[in-house]
Amino acid sequence: MPSAANTSSLSLLKSVPIFSGLSEPEFAFLAARVVPRTFGAGEIIFGEGEPCVGLYVVETGNVRIFKSSAGGREQVLSIDGPGGSIAELPVFDGGAYPASAQAITSSNLLFFSKKDFHSLCLQHPEVALKVLRLVGARLRRLVGIIEQLSFTTVRHRLVAMLVRLAKSNGARQGSGVTLTLPANNNELAAQIGTVRELVSRNLSRLQAEGLIQMDGRTIVVPDLKKLEGELDLAQ
């Protein structure tokens, strides 16, 4: 029998786009079927090509969704935190998991089986429509990733990521920003579609040009507007 979701888990589910707007009886349906699962840092939640058994909602922690090549290179498609839903598409279309999911940190997830999700969609078709909207948004993001990998340089993608991190998680100091890079250059390479050596080389060049200052995994961007200008030069 599935474990009942606790009050905080139900509160989180109400913030998930595909479940938002459901009535209390509909949430009771969810509560009776959601199964809490815990994954340690680095643990694989599901692998690319495995039969899809259900979808997940991140309750705590962070999860990376990625594709792997035969040679072992990885391309990160997204990183999802609390409130993020994972694997709606294969649950919806009946196919295998199209990518792998791995816990970056120790993470608590809420699991909802494919069978129960189908039952929910049959009873409440608006849920299926919300999934279609979410899948459409993700498709647009994936098209953007393809465009970047096809038409931009490693330097451009690296600068774009630094600017993105600076704006979303950076600590501002006047015209500059301090930010923290992902755990290592292998992970950073996976996120921008390249290899560790090119990440290291381009970080060193950016530092030599005075666009960034590095101290381990901490990056200081002295002038964020100047760094952003590099994106315009690469157009």
Side-chain angles (χ1 to χ4, degrees), residues 92-153:
F92 202 58
D93 71 4
Y97 289 117
S100 301
Q102 179 184 38
I104 298 175
T105 58
S106 180
S107 303
N108 294 318
L109 276 64
L110 303 174
F111 174 76
F112 199 51
S113 76
K114 179 167 66 174
K115 178 182 177 182
D116 288 334
F117 185 74
H118 287 172
S119 296
L120 180 65
C121 287
L122 287 173
Q123 294 178 38
H124 311 287
E126 69 275 14
V127 173
L129 292 175
K130 290 177 180 179
V131 171
L132 286 175
R133 283 196 292 269
L134 183 63
V135 169
R138 290 189 174 169
L139 177 59
R140 289 178 184 277
R141 187 175 71 238
L142 291 177
V143 168
I145 290 175
I146 293 170
E147 184 178 29
Q148 278 205 335
L149 293 177
S150 301
F151 303 122
T152 64
T153 63

Side-chain angles (χ1 to χ4, degrees), residues 3 6 11 13 22 25 35-36 45 49 73 94 97 123 166-167 174 195 216 231:
S3 302
N6 59 36
S11 178
L13 286 174
L22 295 181
V35 181
I45 298 164
R73 279 186 56 183
Y97 289 117
Q123 294 178 38
K167 290 184 174 180
V195 293
L231 298 177

Side-chain angles (χ1 to χ4, degrees), residues 11-57:
S11 178
L12 176 76
L13 286 174
K14 290 182 180 181
S15 71
V16 176
I18 61 174
F19 298 136
S20 63
L22 295 181
S23 66
E24 289 306 318
E26 291 161 353
F27 271 109
F29 180 94
L30 284 177
R33 291 162 177 80
V34 165
V35 181
R37 295 187 175 177
T38 300
F39 296 87
E43 188 173 355
I44 296 293
I45 298 164
F46 55 77
E48 179 180 347
E50 292 179 1
C52 175
V53 293
L55 65 83
Y56 295 84
V57 172

